[in-house]
Amino acid sequence: KELFLKKSVLPISDKFNIIPNGFDPEDFASFESKETDSDNFVIRYTGSISDQYKADIFLQALSAYIKENNIKDIQLSFVGLVSSSIKNKINELYLSDYFEHLPTVPHSEINAYQNNSQMLLLAIPEVENAEGILTGKIFEYLACRKPILCLGPKNGDAAKIIEECGAGQTFERNSVEDIQSYIDEKYQAYKRGSIHKSKEDCIQKYNRKNQAEVVFELLKRQGL
């Protein structure tokens, strides 16, 4: 909305109604487990990840946390294309033994992999206007009700939605210790058998059925 308004000299802000992307609940209704080892604390990223996503800070934090605490049962899982430099960084940080990479997975199975995780990694690419980037993935992640660790601008739209829904936490790319603390918080909760609880009423705002009702009401107001 802000980008559109910058292109206009007219005060037309009240003529905008924003309905973001969302998720189809049917996609998460039932599917088979895709875990390779259900005893592991699985941190998973789904989709392609390139150098623009600047994931090094997360990998450094994870490596340090594993080493300092002698953790054996954490698995880092990437489902999709991974840049060679990120793979090299994983090797440099001695994360290879904890790393699972599934380069190609049928799209129909992606949601199952997301759901069968203990933490979901989200990375906003470090590009111009990154604050306004909302990928479809964030809404799929919300539907899984698993804690989200987001790398990106803390004043961005993705960060606002994650905070609003109590779905996780967003970190700038200079926050190694804070990322470690968040991983520890969720890892320890997992070991205790504690289940992460997002704000269900907020998540339902991004259910496409509910969003369709919002569109319907907007059309009714216009007499359409």
Side-chain angles (χ1 to χ4, degrees), residues 67-118:
K67 182 178 180 180
E68 291 170 11
N69 296 280
N70 193 30
I71 305 293
K72 303 294 184 184
D73 57 350
I74 281 181
Q75 181 183 65
L76 175 62
S77 174
F78 282 9
V79 181
L81 299 177
V82 180
S83 74
S84 57
S85 64
I86 291 176
K87 289 181 181 178
N88 291 337
K89 196 68 177 178
I90 287 170
N91 291 330
E92 289 173 18
L93 293 168
Y94 303 101
L95 287 171
S96 300
D97 290 343
Y98 301 87
F99 182 53
E100 172 196 58
H101 181 211
L102 302 168
T104 56
V105 168
H107 185 73
S108 59
E109 296 181 10
I110 288 293
N111 298 143
Y113 280 100
Q114 293 167 342
N115 189 66
N116 289 289
S117 310
Q118 279 67 55

Coordinates of all heavy atoms in Angstrom, one line a residue, residues 67-118:
K67 N 27.7 -26.9 19.8 CA 29.1 -27.2 20.4 C 29.1 -26.9 21.8 O 29.6 -27.7 22.6 CB 30.1 -26.3 19.6 CG 31.5 -26.6 20.1 CD 32.5 -25.7 19.2 CE 34.0 -26.0 19.7 NZ 34.9 -25.2 18.9
E68 N 28.6 -25.7 22.2 CA 28.7 -25.3 23.6 C 27.9 -26.2 24.6 O 28.2 -26.3 25.8 CB 28.2 -23.8 23.8 CG 29.2 -22.8 23.1 CD 28.6 -21.4 23.1 OE1 27.5 -21.2 23.7 OE2 29.1 -20.6 22.4
N69 N 26.8 -26.8 24.1 CA 26.0 -27.6 24.9 C 26.0 -29.1 24.6 O 25.3 -29.9 25.2 CB 24.5 -27.1 24.7 CG 24.3 -25.7 25.2 OD1 24.2 -25.4 26.4 ND2 24.3 -24.7 24.3
N70 N 27.0 -29.4 23.7 CA 27.2 -30.9 23.3 C 25.9 -31.5 22.9 O 25.5 -32.6 23.4 CB 27.8 -31.6 24.5 CG 28.4 -33.0 24.1 OD1 28.7 -33.2 22.9 ND2 28.4 -33.9 25.0
I71 N 25.1 -30.9 22.1 CA 23.8 -31.4 21.6 C 24.0 -32.4 20.6 O 24.8 -32.3 19.6 CB 22.9 -30.2 21.1 CG1 22.8 -29.1 22.1 CG2 21.5 -30.8 20.7 CD1 22.0 -29.5 23.4
K72 N 23.3 -33.5 20.7 CA 23.4 -34.6 19.7 C 22.1 -34.8 18.9 O 22.1 -35.4 17.8 CB 23.7 -35.9 20.4 CG 24.9 -35.9 21.3 CD 26.2 -35.7 20.4 CE 27.4 -35.8 21.3 NZ 28.7 -35.6 20.5
D73 N 21.0 -34.3 19.4 CA 19.7 -34.6 18.7 C 19.0 -33.4 18.1 O 17.8 -33.3 18.1 CB 18.8 -35.3 19.8 CG 18.5 -34.4 21.0 OD1 19.2 -33.4 21.1 OD2 17.6 -34.7 21.8
I74 N 19.8 -32.6 17.5 CA 19.3 -31.5 16.6 C 19.5 -31.8 15.2 O 20.6 -32.3 14.8 CB 19.9 -30.1 17.0 CG1 19.2 -29.5 18.2 CG2 19.7 -29.1 15.8 CD1 19.7 -28.2 18.6
Q75 N 18.5 -31.6 14.3 CA 18.7 -31.9 12.9 C 18.3 -30.6 12.1 O 17.2 -30.0 12.4 CB 17.9 -33.0 12.4 CG 18.0 -33.3 10.9 CD 17.1 -34.4 10.4 OE1 15.9 -34.3 10.4 NE2 17.7 -35.5 10.0
L76 N 19.2 -30.1 11.2 CA 18.9 -29.0 10.4 C 18.5 -29.6 9.0 O 19.3 -30.3 8.4 CB 20.1 -28.1 10.2 CG 20.0 -26.9 9.2 CD1 18.9 -26.0 9.7 CD2 21.3 -26.2 9.1
S77 N 17.3 -29.3 8.6 CA 16.7 -29.9 7.4 C 16.3 -28.8 6.4 O 15.5 -27.9 6.7 CB 15.5 -30.8 7.7 OG 14.9 -31.2 6.5
F78 N 16.9 -28.9 5.2 CA 16.5 -27.9 4.1 C 15.8 -28.8 3.0 O 16.3 -29.8 2.6 CB 17.7 -27.3 3.5 CG 18.3 -26.1 4.3 CD1 17.8 -25.9 5.6 CD2 19.3 -25.3 3.8 CE1 18.4 -24.8 6.3 CE2 19.8 -24.3 4.5 CZ 19.4 -24.0 5.8
V79 N 14.6 -28.3 2.7 CA 13.8 -29.0 1.7 C 13.7 -28.1 0.5 O 12.9 -27.1 0.5 CB 12.4 -29.4 2.2 CG1 11.6 -30.1 1.1 CG2 12.5 -30.3 3.4
G80 N 14.5 -28.3 -0.5 CA 14.5 -27.4 -1.7 C 15.9 -27.1 -2.1 O 16.9 -27.7 -1.6
L81 N 16.1 -26.2 -3.1 CA 17.4 -25.9 -3.6 C 18.2 -25.0 -2.6 O 17.7 -24.1 -2.0 CB 17.3 -25.1 -4.9 CG 16.6 -25.9 -6.1 CD1 16.4 -25.0 -7.3 CD2 17.3 -27.2 -6.4
V82 N 19.5 -25.4 -2.4 CA 20.4 -24.7 -1.5 C 21.6 -24.2 -2.2 O 22.2 -25.0 -3.0 CB 20.8 -25.6 -0.3 CG1 21.7 -24.8 0.7 CG2 19.5 -26.1 0.4
S83 N 22.0 -23.0 -2.1 CA 23.2 -22.5 -2.8 C 24.4 -23.2 -2.3 O 24.5 -23.6 -1.2 CB 23.3 -21.0 -2.6 OG 23.8 -20.7 -1.3
S84 N 25.4 -23.2 -3.2 CA 26.7 -23.9 -2.9 C 27.4 -23.2 -1.7 O 28.0 -23.9 -0.9 CB 27.6 -24.0 -4.1 OG 27.8 -22.7 -4.6
S85 N 27.3 -21.9 -1.6 CA 28.0 -21.2 -0.5 C 27.4 -21.5 0.8 O 28.1 -21.6 1.8 CB 28.0 -19.7 -0.8 OG 26.7 -19.2 -0.8
I86 N 26.1 -21.7 0.9 CA 25.4 -22.1 2.1 C 25.9 -23.5 2.5 O 26.2 -23.8 3.7 CB 23.9 -22.0 2.0 CG1 23.5 -20.5 1.9 CG2 23.2 -22.6 3.2 CD1 22.0 -20.3 1.7
K87 N 25.9 -24.4 1.5 CA 26.4 -25.7 1.8 C 27.9 -25.7 2.3 O 28.2 -26.4 3.3 CB 26.3 -26.6 0.6 CG 24.9 -27.0 0.1 CD 25.0 -27.8 -1.1 CE 23.6 -28.2 -1.6 NZ 23.6 -29.0 -2.8
N88 N 28.7 -24.9 1.7 CA 30.1 -24.7 2.2 C 30.1 -24.2 3.6 O 31.0 -24.7 4.4 CB 30.8 -23.8 1.2 CG 31.1 -24.4 -0.1 OD1 31.0 -25.6 -0.3 ND2 31.3 -23.5 -1.1
K89 N 29.3 -23.3 3.9 CA 29.2 -22.7 5.3 C 28.8 -23.8 6.3 O 29.4 -23.8 7.4 CB 28.3 -21.5 5.3 CG 28.4 -20.7 6.6 CD 29.8 -19.9 6.5 CE 30.0 -19.0 7.6 NZ 31.3 -18.3 7.6
I90 N 27.9 -24.6 5.9 CA 27.5 -25.7 6.8 C 28.7 -26.6 7.1 O 28.9 -27.1 8.2 CB 26.3 -26.5 6.1 CG1 25.0 -25.6 6.2 CG2 26.1 -27.8 6.8 CD1 23.9 -26.2 5.4
N91 N 29.5 -26.9 6.0 CA 30.7 -27.7 6.2 C 31.7 -27.0 7.1 O 32.3 -27.7 8.0 CB 31.3 -28.1 4.9 CG 30.4 -29.1 4.1 OD1 29.7 -29.9 4.6 ND2 30.5 -29.0 2.8
E92 N 31.9 -25.8 6.9 CA 32.9 -25.0 7.6 C 32.6 -25.0 9.1 O 33.4 -25.0 10.0 CB 33.0 -23.6 7.1 CG 33.6 -23.4 5.7 CD 33.5 -22.0 5.2 OE1 33.3 -21.1 6.1 OE2 33.7 -21.8 4.0
L93 N 31.3 -24.9 9.4 CA 30.8 -24.8 10.8 C 30.6 -26.2 11.4 O 30.0 -26.3 12.5 CB 29.5 -24.0 10.9 CG 29.7 -22.5 10.5 CD1 28.4 -21.8 10.3 CD2 30.6 -21.8 11.6
Y94 N 31.0 -27.2 10.8 CA 30.9 -28.6 11.3 C 29.5 -29.0 11.6 O 29.2 -29.7 12.6 CB 31.8 -28.8 12.6 CG 33.2 -28.4 12.4 CD1 33.7 -27.2 12.8 CD2 34.1 -29.3 11.7 CE1 35.0 -26.8 12.5 CE2 35.4 -29.0 11.5 CZ 35.9 -27.7 11.9 OH 37.2 -27.4 11.7
L95 N 28.6 -28.6 10.7 CA 27.2 -28.9 10.9 C 26.7 -30.1 9.9 O 25.6 -30.5 9.9 CB 26.3 -27.7 10.5 CG 26.3 -26.6 11.6 CD1 25.5 -25.4 11.1 CD2 25.6 -27.1 12.9
S96 N 27.7 -30.6 9.2 CA 27.3 -31.6 8.2 C 26.7 -32.8 8.8 O 25.7 -33.4 8.2 CB 28.6 -32.1 7.4 OG 29.2 -31.0 6.8
D97 N 27.1 -33.2 10.0 CA 26.5 -34.4 10.6 C 25.1 -34.2 11.1 O 24.4 -35.1 11.5 CB 27.4 -34.9 11.8 CG 28.7 -35.4 11.4 OD1 28.9 -35.8 10.2 OD2 29.7 -35.5 12.2
Y98 N 24.7 -32.9 11.2 CA 23.4 -32.6 11.7 C 22.5 -32.1 10.5 O 21.3 -31.8 10.8 CB 23.5 -31.4 12.7 CG 24.3 -31.7 13.9 CD1 25.7 -31.4 13.8 CD2 23.8 -32.2 15.0 CE1 26.5 -31.7 14.9 CE2 24.6 -32.4 16.1 CZ 26.0 -32.2 16.1 OH 26.8 -32.5 17.2
F99 N 23.0 -32.2 9.3 CA 22.3 -31.6 8.2 C 21.7 -32.6 7.3 O 22.3 -33.6 6.9 CB 23.3 -30.8 7.3 CG 22.8 -30.1 6.2 CD1 21.7 -29.2 6.3 CD2 23.3 -30.2 4.9 CE1 21.1 -28.6 5.2 CE2 22.8 -29.6 3.8 CZ 21.7 -28.7 3.9
E100 N 20.4 -32.4 6.9 CA 19.7 -33.2 6.0 C 19.2 -32.3 4.8 O 18.7 -31.2 5.1 CB 18.4 -33.8 6.6 CG 17.5 -34.5 5.6 CD 16.1 -34.7 6.2 OE1 15.4 -33.7 6.6 OE2 15.7 -35.9 6.3
H101 N 19.5 -32.7 3.6 CA 19.1 -31.9 2.4 C 18.2 -32.8 1.5 O 18.7 -33.8 1.0 CB 20.3 -31.3 1.7 CG 19.9 -30.5 0.5 ND1 20.7 -30.4 -0.6 CD2 18.8 -29.7 0.3 CE1 20.1 -29.6 -1.5 NE2 19.0 -29.2 -1.0
L102 N 17.0 -32.3 1.2 CA 16.1 -33.0 0.3 C 15.9 -32.0 -0.8 O 15.1 -31.1 -0.8 CB 14.8 -33.3 1.0 CG 15.0 -34.3 2.2 CD1 13.7 -34.3 3.0 CD2 15.4 -35.6 1.8
P103 N 16.7 -32.1 -1.9 CA 16.6 -31.1 -3.0 C 15.3 -31.0 -3.8 O 14.9 -30.0 -4.2 CB 17.8 -31.5 -3.9 CG 18.1 -32.9 -3.6 CD 17.7 -33.1 -2.2
T104 N 14.7 -32.2 -3.9 CA 13.4 -32.2 -4.7 C 12.4 -33.0 -3.9 O 12.6 -34.1 -3.6 CB 13.6 -32.8 -6.1 OG1 14.2 -34.1 -6.0 CG2 14.5 -31.9 -6.9
V105 N 11.2 -32.4 -3.7 CA 10.1 -33.0 -3.0 C 8.8 -32.6 -3.7 O 8.7 -31.4 -4.1 CB 10.1 -32.6 -1.5 CG1 8.7 -33.0 -0.9 CG2 11.2 -33.1 -0.7
P106 N 7.9 -33.5 -4.0 CA 6.7 -33.1 -4.6 C 6.0 -32.0 -3.8 O 6.0 -32.1 -2.6 CB 5.8 -34.4 -4.6 CG 6.8 -35.5 -4.5 CD 8.0 -35.0 -3.7
H107 N 5.4 -31.0 -4.5 CA 4.8 -29.9 -3.8 C 3.7 -30.3 -2.9 O 3.5 -29.7 -1.8 CB 4.2 -28.9 -4.9 CG 3.7 -27.7 -4.2 ND1 4.5 -26.7 -3.7 CD2 2.4 -27.3 -4.0 CE1 3.7 -25.7 -3.2 NE2 2.5 -26.0 -3.4
S108 N 3.0 -31.4 -3.2 CA 2.0 -31.9 -2.4 C 2.4 -32.4 -1.0 O 1.6 -32.5 -0.1 CB 1.2 -33.1 -3.1 OG 2.1 -34.1 -3.4
E109 N 3.8 -32.6 -0.9 CA 4.3 -33.1 0.4 C 5.0 -32.0 1.2 O 5.3 -32.3 2.4 CB 5.3 -34.2 0.1 CG 4.7 -35.5 -0.6 CD 5.8 -36.6 -0.8 OE1 6.9 -36.4 -0.3 OE2 5.4 -37.5 -1.5
I110 N 5.1 -30.8 0.7 CA 5.8 -29.8 1.4 C 5.2 -29.5 2.7 O 5.9 -29.3 3.8 CB 5.9 -28.5 0.5 CG1 6.9 -28.7 -0.6 CG2 6.3 -27.3 1.4 CD1 8.3 -28.8 -0.2
N111 N 3.9 -29.4 2.8 CA 3.2 -29.0 4.0 C 3.4 -30.1 5.1 O 3.5 -29.8 6.3 CB 1.7 -28.8 3.8 CG 1.4 -27.7 2.9 OD1 0.5 -27.7 2.1 ND2 2.2 -26.6 2.9
A112 N 3.5 -31.4 4.7 CA 3.8 -32.4 5.6 C 5.2 -32.3 6.3 O 5.3 -32.4 7.5 CB 3.7 -33.8 4.9
Y113 N 6.2 -31.9 5.5 CA 7.5 -31.7 6.0 C 7.5 -30.5 7.0 O 8.2 -30.5 8.0 CB 8.5 -31.4 4.9 CG 9.0 -32.7 4.2 CD1 8.4 -33.1 3.0 CD2 10.0 -33.5 4.8 CE1 8.9 -34.3 2.4 CE2 10.4 -34.6 4.2 CZ 9.9 -35.0 3.0 OH 10.3 -36.2 2.4
Q114 N 6.8 -29.4 6.6 CA 6.7 -28.3 7.5 C 6.0 -28.6 8.8 O 6.5 -28.3 9.9 CB 5.9 -27.2 6.8 CG 6.5 -26.6 5.6 CD 5.6 -25.7 4.8 OE1 4.3 -25.8 4.9 NE2 6.1 -24.9 3.9
N115 N 5.0 -29.4 8.7 CA 4.2 -29.8 9.9 C 5.0 -30.7 10.9 O 4.9 -30.6 12.1 CB 2.9 -30.5 9.6 CG 2.0 -30.7 10.7 OD1 1.5 -29.7 11.3 ND2 1.8 -31.9 11.1
N116 N 5.8 -31.6 10.3 CA 6.6 -32.5 11.0 C 8.0 -31.9 11.3 O 9.0 -32.5 10.9 CB 6.7 -33.8 10.3 CG 5.4 -34.6 10.3 OD1 4.9 -35.0 11.3 ND2 4.7 -34.6 9.2
S117 N 8.0 -30.8 12.0 CA 9.2 -30.1 12.4 C 9.0 -29.6 13.8 O 7.8 -29.5 14.3 CB 9.5 -28.9 11.5 OG 9.5 -29.3 10.1
Q118 N 10.1 -29.3 14.5 CA 9.9 -28.7 15.8 C 10.2 -27.1 15.8 O 9.8 -26.4 16.7 CB 10.9 -29.3 16.8 CG 10.4 -30.6 17.4 CD 10.4 -31.7 16.3 OE1 11.4 -32.0 15.6 NE2 9.2 -32.3 16.2

